[in-house]
């Protein structure tokens, strides 16, 4: 995990409010990575019961959510049909996610999360706080600030599920 001051404050390389948002996104991601450290494919794929999501599926969900919000905020569009087809199981989880989001090692899942986050950070660095406040072209009821807050809060929410699921993994 990164070294933190445990203060929400502007970060170098970003406008002031975007920098504070980046700090929150980074903290959420670092604590997620710590929560899944060392898990095997079997542990990532484990289903606690017939209605639960696997830890691996939740990691795939984080990636799909971030990439879809990149389209909404940075590209001013909704995900296209090909993107939605590729991300649908991860976005909605549930039965489809339990069926198809399996068999991927932790380093692959974390690599995809890292690639998505790299793009997010590059794009956020190129924008200012006025951009953050403007309504989105592709979703006028939302502004970019809410969109990226939602990416962070969705990860924090599901990270709680990950911690709960990990504590209940079968001991082998």
């Amino acid at each position: 995990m990164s070294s933190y001051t445990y203060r929400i404050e502007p970060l170098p390389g970003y406008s002031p409010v975007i920098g504070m948002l980046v700090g929150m996104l980074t903290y959420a991601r670092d604590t997620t990575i710590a929560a899944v450290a060392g898990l095997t494919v079997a542990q990532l794929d484990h289903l606690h019961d017939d209605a639960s999501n696997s830890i691996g599926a939740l990691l795939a969900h984080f990636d799909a959510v971030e990439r879809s919000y990149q389209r909404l905020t940075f590209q001013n569009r909704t995900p296209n049909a090909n993107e939605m087809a590729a991300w649908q199981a991860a976005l909605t989880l549930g039965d489809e996610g339990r069926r198809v989001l399996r068999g991927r090692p932790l380093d692959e899942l974390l690599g995809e999360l890292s690639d998505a986050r790299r793009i997010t950070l590059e794009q956020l660095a190129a924008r200012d706080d006025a951009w953050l406040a403007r309504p989105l072209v592709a979703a006028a009821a939302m502004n970019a600030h809410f969109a990226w807050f939602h990416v962070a809060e969705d990860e924090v929410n599901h990270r709680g599920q990950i911690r709960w699921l990990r504590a209940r993994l079968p001991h082998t």
Side-chain angles (χ1 to χ4, degrees):
M1 201 159 50
S2 298
S3 175
Y4 289 101
T5 60
Y6 299 103
R7 293 189 301 257
I8 296 173
E9 55 193 7
L11 295 175
Y14 300 96
S15 64
V17 177
I18 289 176
M20 290 186 282
L21 183 61
V22 166
M24 291 180 237
L25 288 164
T26 301
Y27 180 79
R29 180 57 47 84
D30 286 351
T31 54
T32 293
I33 291 168
V36 300
L39 292 178
T40 66
V41 172
Q43 291 170 318
L44 291 166
D45 287 349
H46 177 75
L47 292 171
H48 180 73
D49 58 38
D50 290 344
S52 68
N53 296 303
S54 70
I55 293 171
L58 292 168
L59 293 174
H61 176 73
F62 299 159
D63 181 61
V65 167
E66 184 151 352
R67 291 179 191 277
S68 66
Y69 276 85
Q70 289 171 349
R71 301 321 184 261
L72 280 173
T73 60
F74 305 139
Q75 296 178 14
N76 297 317
R77 66 176 179 86
T78 58
N80 63 39
N82 289 336
E83 291 163 337
M84 285 306 295
W87 301 332
Q88 191 63 43
L91 286 172
T92 59
L93 298 167
D95 290 337
E96 183 72 1
R98 282 185 283 282
R99 190 177 65 73
V100 302
L101 300 173
R102 309 186 60 72
R104 300 181 63 208
L106 183 60
D107 62 337
E108 181 180 313
L109 291 164
L110 293 180
E112 289 181 3
L113 288 172
S114 178
D115 289 344
R117 184 52 52 89
R118 178 188 49 75
I119 293 165
T120 297
L121 297 179
E122 288 170 359
Q123 292 294 317
L124 289 172
R127 287 166 169 75
D128 62 18
D129 292 343
W131 169 85
L132 197 62
R134 281 194 293 274
L136 297 178
V137 171
M142 183 186 315
N143 64 11
H145 200 161
F146 179 84
W148 289 103
F149 159 77
H150 176 67
V151 171
E153 69 90 20
D154 186 66
E155 184 162 340
V156 169
N157 175 49
H158 289 302
R159 189 193 61 232
Q161 286 181 283
I162 287 172
R163 288 176 173 161
W164 189 93
L165 289 165
R166 184 172 186 152
R168 286 153 182 83
L169 287 171
H171 298 287
T172 54

